[in-house]
Amino acid sequence: MEKIGSIEEYIEKHENYSEALIELRKIINSTELEETIKWNIPTYTINNKNVIGIGAFKHHFGIWFFNGVFLKDDEKLLRNAQDGKTKAMRQMIFKSIDDINKNLVLKYVKEAIENQKAGKVIKADRTKKKTVIPTELDTEFKKDSDLKKAFEGLSPYKQREYCDHISSAKREATKISRLEKIKPMILNGAGLHDKYKNC
């Protein structure tokens, strides 16, 4: 993924919505929010806490409210980012610059700021999930003590990723195939998705 260095660069990259993004940016920058780039998108914070982000896609652009679930949304402008998965985040989607109602956007942004100041956030679930080692991997550990030792040296999160990767395969042949592919990665102390995290 190409790294975005500035807000201006992000806006230029999305030229089909650049005028609209400039308008949203102007509205947001009229508040006390701090502007930065996170996850390659313009993000706005208060006291280093994420409040909103703006972004553009192929057929729409919009504002992401990180804890939008707490917004009153009297105008029914918000939608869940991913139904069933997203607990806190809500999106305000636009198709063109003409859809932007400056006063309404500002009202929602200001409410989001006040909510953040009041500590209205959904805390991430920190309960530890138990790692269930699949039979195929356990059998391999009995044959290869180096593999077992390397696996035990991984973080619980990486261990779970590998176990889930094998367990999620429906066919036994697929499980074995996945196991063979991940063995060198485990021995190298790498996580299943490490190569994508550095993109």
Side-chain angles (χ1 to χ4, degrees):
M1 189 188 291
E2 185 191 342
K3 195 165 170 56
I4 300 291
S6 68
I7 310 285
E8 289 77 13
E9 195 182 326
Y10 183 90
I11 289 170
E12 278 172 34
K13 193 179 172 198
H14 297 276
E15 55 185 300
N16 50 332
Y17 290 123
S18 58
E19 201 182 333
L21 290 172
I22 289 166
E23 182 63 22
L24 286 182
R25 185 187 189 197
K26 205 186 298 178
I27 295 166
I28 296 162
N29 280 338
S30 72
T31 71
E32 62 197 286
L33 290 174
E34 296 279 327
E35 192 175 52
T36 184
I37 289 275
K38 287 188 183 184
W39 311 286
N40 263 1
I41 65 161
T43 305
Y44 298 82
T45 66
I46 192 160
N47 301 322
N48 293 319
K49 302 287 184 188
N50 301 326
V51 180
I52 58 179
I54 60 173
F57 294 90
K58 197 173 181 181
H59 301 296
H60 67 272
F61 63 96
I63 305 176
W64 281 253
F65 294 87
F66 285 93
N67 282 286
V69 68
F70 296 108
L71 294 169
K72 294 187 191 86
D73 195 21
D74 297 330
E75 312 294 330
K76 301 285 178 268
L77 297 176
L78 303 178
R79 71 181 197 190
N80 194 321
Q82 267 186 300
D83 276 323
K85 285 189 178 181
T86 309
K87 291 181 182 175
M89 192 179 281
R90 295 293 181 268
Q91 299 174 331
M92 187 183 282
I93 298 297
F94 307 99
K95 300 282 186 189
S96 82
I97 193 168
D98 300 326
D99 296 338
I100 300 172
N101 180 322
K102 184 182 173 182
N103 293 331
L104 268 182
V105 169
L106 194 56
K107 178 185 163 189
Y108 276 71
V109 170
K110 284 182 173 177
E111 189 187 345
I113 293 168
E114 292 311 310
N115 285 348
Q116 181 60 56
K117 285 181 179 177
K120 289 185 180 179
V121 296
I122 287 185
K123 298 277 193 294
D125 184 7
R126 300 285 180 206
T127 53
K128 288 197 174 178
K129 294 177 187 169
K130 196 174 185 312
T131 302
V132 180
I133 295 174
T135 312
E136 295 78 11
L137 189 55
D138 195 42
T139 303
E140 203 64 29
F141 286 160
K142 285 168 184 162
K143 293 190 287 186
D144 188 340
S145 60
D146 288 342
L147 184 69
K148 187 173 192 284
K149 191 177 174 186
F151 182 82
E152 287 168 351
L154 296 172
S155 67
Y157 177 74
K158 287 181 178 178
Q159 289 179 3
R160 264 198 312 279
E161 276 189 332
Y162 280 125
C163 290
D164 292 347
H165 183 59
I166 295 168
S167 301
S168 63
K170 290 182 173 63
R171 293 171 57 239
E172 191 61 29
T174 311
K175 289 183 181 185
I176 300 301
S177 166
R178 287 183 180 182
L179 177 58
E180 289 306 313
K181 282 180 185 167
I182 65 173
K183 272 160 60 176
M185 295 164 72
I186 293 171
L187 288 165
N188 283 329
L192 184 64
H193 302 296
D194 281 5
K195 64 178 178 182
Y196 301 113
K197 287 173 185 166
N198 298 321
C199 291

